[in-house]
Structure formats: structure tokens, C-alpha cells
Amino acid sequence: MEKKMKLGSVRIGGLASYGIVEGEFLIDIGAVLQERFPDLKAVIAADAMEAVKLAAPQAPRIPLQDLTFAPVIGNAGKIFCVGHNYESHRQETGRAKTSYPSIFVRFADSQMGHGEPIIMPKVSTMLDYEGELAVVIGKAGKNIAQADALQHVAGYSCYNDASVRDWQWHTTQFTPGKNFAGTGAFGPWLVTPDEIPDPATLSVTTRLNGTVVQSQPTADMIFPIPQLIAYISTFTHLAPGDVIVTGTPGGVGAKRQPPLWLKPGDTVEVDIPGIGLLINPVHAEA
């Protein structure tokens, strides 16, 4: 079986690029292919992974310490987030069981990359973590059958759907609390699905300042990834580079006694073995 690739979106000297992460280096594919494929979303849309592999021997190798990670897909056309999709989280929130997934949207400009700060807004002290598995769509589709759904996946990544809870709770609609700038951490990279034929075999762990606060196998999702893709593609056309953030396990700060809110100086890690480790400090809004 072909070795999976880790593909990162980055900034090098302030300029956007992308490439293959190997060890402590990025093979800067953007330096070779950017005129044809300006970003990772364009690579995915063109189904150009073979071109990426062919460009690798010509591409410069950049130490990871000399670059900044950006959101994996910073210009996603659509980002769908799934609420209460682990039974442990549904129970801690007291939500009733439903026949359909709870879907809300996040805007692409609320995102940041691995290593960049989660921003606690001035208008709230109720900033919460939500470690999640993110799915990036690779093949467009409408009315996708569950049996075919994973064929539409370009890869997987880690996500921290950090939530401004009081703004989320203003009404029954989640949008305000899920779209503050600097609250959607997405990274560190995209892992192609070559060696992850079944994303239900993964696990999601979140650590706050080194202490585990969430840990659950993805098999405990109420609505598994194929079902989410089928459901979402029924009401909208899924396009390459679209993102589905698949829900968070139980253990969120809002439901602890007392509540465990993020504060400046904290560090949050979202760890999905086989995918990556997403690490973000927490800063106050300037």
C-alpha cells in the first residue's frame, strides 16, 4: 500500500505555500507548482496528488522551525460542524436523542493553523476547547450514498472548534459563538486516507496544559462520517476543499463543575494518533 502523505499549508517568510511534511522538514511543493496550483485546495480540486509527488525531488526542503503553519484549507468554500455527535457529549449536555445530525457552519476566516494562538475575545470569559476530527472533501458530489462516501474524502486533520459559550448560548443558533476570529484551529496537516481506510478506528484526545480533558474513540460517533457526508450532500453540493468537523467528545469545559474555561497562557493539544498533534497557545484579544 502506498505510504500516506502529510500535506501542510504554510507561510514561509510571510509568503503562502504548501508542501509535504517529512520529519522536521517541509518539501516546498508550492515553490514548484504554485503557478499551476496556487494552494492545497487547488491541488485537491485538480486531483493533482501525482503532480505533487513528481515535483517533490525538485522542491526545496524547509526546516519546520523556519515556517509558520496556516489552516490546512484556509479558503474552504464550506465548513460544516457537527454538534453533539459523541454520545458522551450528548449526555453531558442533556440533549435529547435525534434522528438527524445537528449541523452549523464556521467561516473560513475564523481559522488559524497549528502553533498559532487561539484568541480569547474581550467580550467573553467563557472560551472552551473542542477537540475534533476534520474531514476534507476531495471529490465533488451531491446525494452521495453512504457506501460511496469515503471515496469523496481527500484526507483527515485535527481541529479545535474553540467556542465562545456565552455567545453560543444567546439563542438556540450556534453561529455567533462559533465564528470569533482565531477560534478555529485546523492542522497541523492533512493526512491522505491511504492508510486510514476506516476513520472509525481513530481516537480523539484533548489535553489542556498537559492534562487529558477529552478522550474518545471515533467509533463512538452517533452519526459516523459516511452518514454525515451522505446527509450533508443531500442538502448542498459538496466541493473539493470543503470541510466537515465531525463533533467533539464529552469533557468540554462548560459542562465541568466548576466550569473549566480557557485563559491566556494556556496550551491546548488535540491528538489523533495516525493523523497528528495540533497545539495552540491561548492569547487574550489585543
Side-chain angles (χ1 to χ4, degrees):
M1 184 175 288
E2 188 175 351
K3 184 180 179 182
K4 63 188 176 186
M5 284 196 296
K6 293 189 266 188
L7 298 166
S9 296
V10 299
R11 288 184 290 273
I12 303 170
L15 300 177
S17 191
Y18 59 90
I20 302 170
V21 178
E22 286 192 356
E24 295 303 310
F25 291 87
L26 177 99
I27 302 173
D28 186 8
I29 302 298
V32 180
L33 294 183
Q34 214 156 27
E35 287 191 9
R36 290 172 60 195
F37 310 114
D39 52 37
L40 195 50
K41 178 181 170 182
V43 169
I44 292 168
D47 192 20
M49 293 301 178
E50 192 60 35
V52 168
K53 295 172 190 174
L54 291 173
Q58 315 160 49
R61 295 173 66 88
I62 311 295
L64 297 184
Q65 64 188 21
D66 294 343
L67 57 79
T68 302
F69 280 99
V72 174
I73 307 292
N75 57 342
K78 297 184 285 293
I79 303 170
F80 301 98
C81 301
V82 187
H84 312 103
N85 196 31
Y86 284 75
E87 179 62 15
S88 57
H89 185 45
R90 186 198 68 80
Q91 289 183 9
E92 73 181 357
T93 61
R95 293 270 174 164
K97 291 185 178 181
T98 64
S99 300
Y100 303 100
S102 171
I103 307 289
F104 57 93
V105 295
R106 178 179 276 279
F107 306 136
D109 63 0
S110 70
Q111 299 183 123
M112 67 288 190
H114 168 67
E116 296 189 303
I118 295 170
I119 302 299
M120 189 177 81
K122 293 178 180 177
V123 296
S124 177
T125 56
M126 295 185 179
L127 179 63
D128 206 348
Y129 51 83
E130 289 195 11
E132 311 199 20
L133 172 65
V135 178
V136 177
I137 298 298
K139 178 183 172 185
K142 184 79 166 63
N143 296 312
I144 299 167
Q146 288 190 45
D148 301 328
L150 295 184
Q151 298 174 28
H152 290 257
V153 174
Y156 303 95
S157 190
C158 306
Y159 212 99
N160 190 341
D161 184 35
S163 304
V164 182
R165 294 297 189 195
D166 45 354
W167 282 74
Q168 177 185 339
W169 295 333
H170 282 173
T171 73
T172 56
Q173 302 299 318
F174 291 178
T175 301
K178 298 288 189 171
N179 281 286
F180 277 79
T183 58
F186 187 11
W189 41 65
L190 175 81
V191 173
T192 54
D194 312 43
E195 294 181 8
I196 308 173
D198 183 4
T201 61
L202 302 171
S203 62
V204 178
T205 297
T206 308
R207 288 184 286 268
L208 175 59
N209 301 325
T211 298
V212 172
V213 289
Q214 295 180 292
S215 189
Q216 205 81 26
T218 53
D220 287 350
M221 288 184 188
I222 298 169
F223 301 100
I225 289 168
Q227 192 171 352
L228 294 174
I229 291 173
Y231 181 79
I232 293 169
S233 73
T234 304
F235 70 80
T236 191
H237 186 274
L238 282 173
D242 286 350
V243 180
I244 302 174
V245 187
T246 57
T248 199
V252 298
K255 296 304 175 182
R256 292 174 176 267
Q257 296 298 329
L260 180 60
W261 304 120
L262 297 178
K263 61 187 184 303
D266 285 345
T267 299
V268 189
E269 303 175 26
V270 179
D271 188 359
I272 305 179
I275 304 292
L277 177 63
L278 171 66
I279 305 174
N280 299 91
V282 180
H283 291 183
E285 183 180 5

